[in-house]
Amino acid sequence: MPRIGRFPPFGKRFFRRARKIIGCCHFAHFWRVVVTLAAMHGRRNLNRIEHACRNHHTRQSIGFFLTRAHWDAPELLRQTALDTLKHLGWQPNHRVYVIIDDTQKRKRGKRMDAVSKIFLHAEKVYAQGHTIVGCALLYRNVVIPYAVHLWANEAFCAKTRKPSYPDDPIPFRKLTELAADAISQVTVPRAIVLFDSYYLCPPVIRVCKEKAYRFVGVAKKNRNFFPNGRLHDKRRLSTYGVNVLRRDGRWCTANGKSHRLAARIGQLSKAGRVKLVFSRRARERAWIAMATNETRWSASTILSHYLHRWPIEILFKESKQNLGLGDYQVLRYRGIERYLHLVMIAHLLLTHLAATEPGAQADCNENDPLRLPSVPRRQQLLRSKLWDDTINAMEKGSRNRRVGRKLKEIIQM
């Protein structure tokens, strides 16, 4: 990976809004950290970031930028996401999905803020770590990170209210409340919200109703359902869904796979009036119950909408493996959350570069899905642009002009 010295010319359009929001004082730290996170190999830490930036900024100054400097990381991520959405050709009448989910990261640091005992779903064990709530937009099959929050338990939030805590106090918020806050900050009209069974709860449903958003989520099988609004006829989904699928299920194809579907309208506990769609794949015994507040949709339409929830899982996986989402080593809560925002902005930078390549959007209409390369290939594209910029700078300079010309001749051979 080339060392990052001067501002890359290919980033002028992407960082144009960020320069206005963050200000000139912190802009140099901001773009260098974002480009480094997007282009670096292996694990990320402050020492490697300092080395990649040609020692323009020390480790202490980068740490101060993350923990002490005054800049609005959530607003910066939101505006960058909206700019990326518009750059992809979004219009107010186009369909956009808002996807909510969370991920866990094991952390062994004893002095790190907000570390608590959590259940790691991927490893099926309890461990010390962090829970990260993410919100992403999906447009033309492109995932656009929009918001990210670091969850803190009630004991740590009470600790931040003491005078000995060096930063501002952190109010305690449940995971469902953080998800509701992320949805409330979305400014895209007529979006469709997708989430799993944990977020089918009153706070999320309430904010979807306030913003006139339609949602599709999974209902847990221990919830009660009242078919056709008959409040005296209470059914448990665990047994009701099996019977409905067996009696009235119909086969349909979605994403190349066969599903047996059956639908019912009624009152769901803690969710109000919804339409339930019971779905089971061919040659499988497991089934799910999808709930939506749009009762006019057909069962196959509801299933096709919910299948668009999976890209946020890919976003978390790629961010951890290729962008260092869990490699933060700062101790303070503000520094950790700002690092998470910078990783998501680095993901947006890679998306911007891939979408601006010649021919990326040439063979499709405005509503057709975009087939952008994977994150590793986008990183290779970014590194090649950084190398080209470095060689061009050497060729135009006075000290290493002959070396730059020779390197350019070798590359062009």
Side-chain angles (χ1 to χ4, degrees), residues 148-163:
V148 61
H149 296 284
L150 178 65
W151 178 77
N153 59 14
E154 196 169 1
F156 172 75
C157 293
K159 180 181 176 181
T160 62
R161 293 192 291 267
K162 297 181 180 179

Side-chain angles (χ1 to χ4, degrees), residues 258-277:
S258 298
H259 298 260
R260 188 175 178 85
L261 304 178
R264 290 291 187 274
I265 298 177
Q267 295 286 331
L268 184 65
S269 59
K270 299 182 180 181
R273 182 175 175 81
V274 298
K275 184 172 186 176
L276 286 183
V277 175

Side-chain angles (χ1 to χ4, degrees), residues 304-321:
S304 64
H305 285 319
Y306 183 74
L307 292 178
H308 287 88
R309 194 196 70 86
W310 184 250
I312 196 171
E313 304 284 356
I314 301 176
L315 170 66
F316 286 140
K317 181 179 180 180
E318 292 178 337
S319 299
K320 288 180 178 180
Q321 293 182 351

Side-chain angles (χ1 to χ4, degrees), residues 4 6 63 106 187 230 232 239 246 253 292 302 337 340 349 407-408:
I4 301 169
R6 65 172 190 169
R106 185 195 295 263
T187 57
R230 301 190 300 265
H232 62 280
T239 55
R246 185 179 64 252
T253 303
T292 179
I302 295 172
E337 200 167 50
L340 298 176
L349 172 62
L407 289 174
K408 199 167 187 179

Side-chain angles (χ1 to χ4, degrees), residues 32-73:
R32 282 193 172 92
V33 173
V34 170
V35 174
T36 303
L37 291 175
M40 183 179 292
H41 293 278
R43 294 181 61 86
R44 277 75 169 166
N45 55 51
L46 297 184
N47 287 332
R48 297 194 64 195
I49 294 177
E50 176 188 3
H51 180 70
C53 295
R54 292 186 179 178
N55 299 324
H56 283 282
H57 303 283
T58 63
R59 175 179 176 178
Q60 289 75 16
S61 64
I62 298 174
F64 180 86
F65 168 72
L66 291 175
T67 58
R68 299 293 183 182
H70 295 284
W71 57 284
D72 193 350

Side-chain angles (χ1 to χ4, degrees), residues 62-304:
I62 298 174
F64 180 86
F65 168 72
L66 291 175
T67 58
R68 299 293 183 182
H70 295 284
W71 57 284
D72 193 350
E75 180 65 18
L76 197 58
L77 176 58
R78 284 195 297 269
Q79 293 300 327
T80 307
L82 292 176
D83 288 345
T84 304
L85 183 66
K86 294 177 182 178
H87 176 67
L88 295 177
W90 173 79
Q91 298 294 331
N93 59 338
H94 291 177
R95 178 184 298 165
V96 177
Y97 294 100
V98 179
I99 313 175
I100 298 293
D101 202 2
D102 59 76
T103 185
Q104 295 82 28
K105 181 61 182 178
R106 185 195 295 263
K107 283 295 176 181
R108 297 180 175 86
K110 297 182 179 180
R111 298 175 59 188
M112 186 174 291
D113 287 351
V115 173
S116 59
K117 187 177 181 180
I118 59 175
F119 180 73
L120 301 176
H121 299 287
E123 304 176 23
K124 305 298 182 182
V125 295
Y126 285 93
Q128 296 290 100
H130 284 147
T131 300
I132 303 167
V133 181
C135 173
L137 308 180
L138 183 67
Y139 176 68
R140 300 179 66 182
N141 207 31
V142 178
V143 186
I144 305 173
Y146 190 84
V148 61
H149 296 284
L150 178 65
W151 178 77
N153 59 14
E154 196 169 1
F156 172 75
C157 293
K159 180 181 176 181
T160 62
R161 293 192 291 267
K162 297 181 180 179
S164 58
Y165 189 72
D167 296 331
D168 297 332
I170 301 169
F172 173 70
R173 306 283 287 172
K174 297 180 180 179
L175 286 174
T176 54
E177 294 174 341
L178 292 177
D181 292 342
I183 298 173
S184 65
Q185 294 168 358
V186 177
T187 57
V188 178
R190 295 186 295 275
I192 301 176
V193 185
L194 308 177
F195 43 78
D196 59 10
S197 60
Y198 187 82
Y199 295 101
L200 185 63
C201 58
V204 174
I205 295 175
R206 188 183 309 114
V207 72
C208 290
K209 183 178 180 180
E210 293 173 356
K211 297 183 70 66
Y213 284 171
R214 294 166 292 183
F215 67 81
V216 180
V218 172
K220 292 184 179 180
K221 297 179 182 179
N222 61 351
R223 302 183 76 159
N224 295 322
F225 182 67
F226 303 89
N228 299 321
R230 301 190 300 265
L231 299 182
H232 62 280
D233 187 10
K234 182 172 67 173
R235 306 292 183 92
R236 184 63 62 91
L237 289 184
S238 57
T239 55
Y240 181 70
V242 175
N243 297 331
V244 172
L245 275 173
R246 185 179 64 252
R247 293 195 309 265
D248 301 329
R250 297 292 183 271
W251 290 102
C252 75
T253 303
N255 287 358
K257 296 183 179 180
S258 298
H259 298 260
R260 188 175 178 85
L261 304 178
R264 290 291 187 274
I265 298 177
Q267 295 286 331
L268 184 65
S269 59
K270 299 182 180 181
R273 182 175 175 81
V274 298
K275 184 172 186 176
L276 286 183
V277 175
F278 304 98
S279 173
R280 178 176 62 83
R281 289 181 181 177
R283 296 182 295 275
E284 291 185 6
R285 298 184 60 182
W287 57 273
I288 61 173
M290 295 169 287
T292 179
N293 57 347
E294 182 53 83
T295 57
R296 295 172 296 180
W297 283 342
S298 64
S300 58
T301 301
I302 295 172
L303 175 63
S304 64

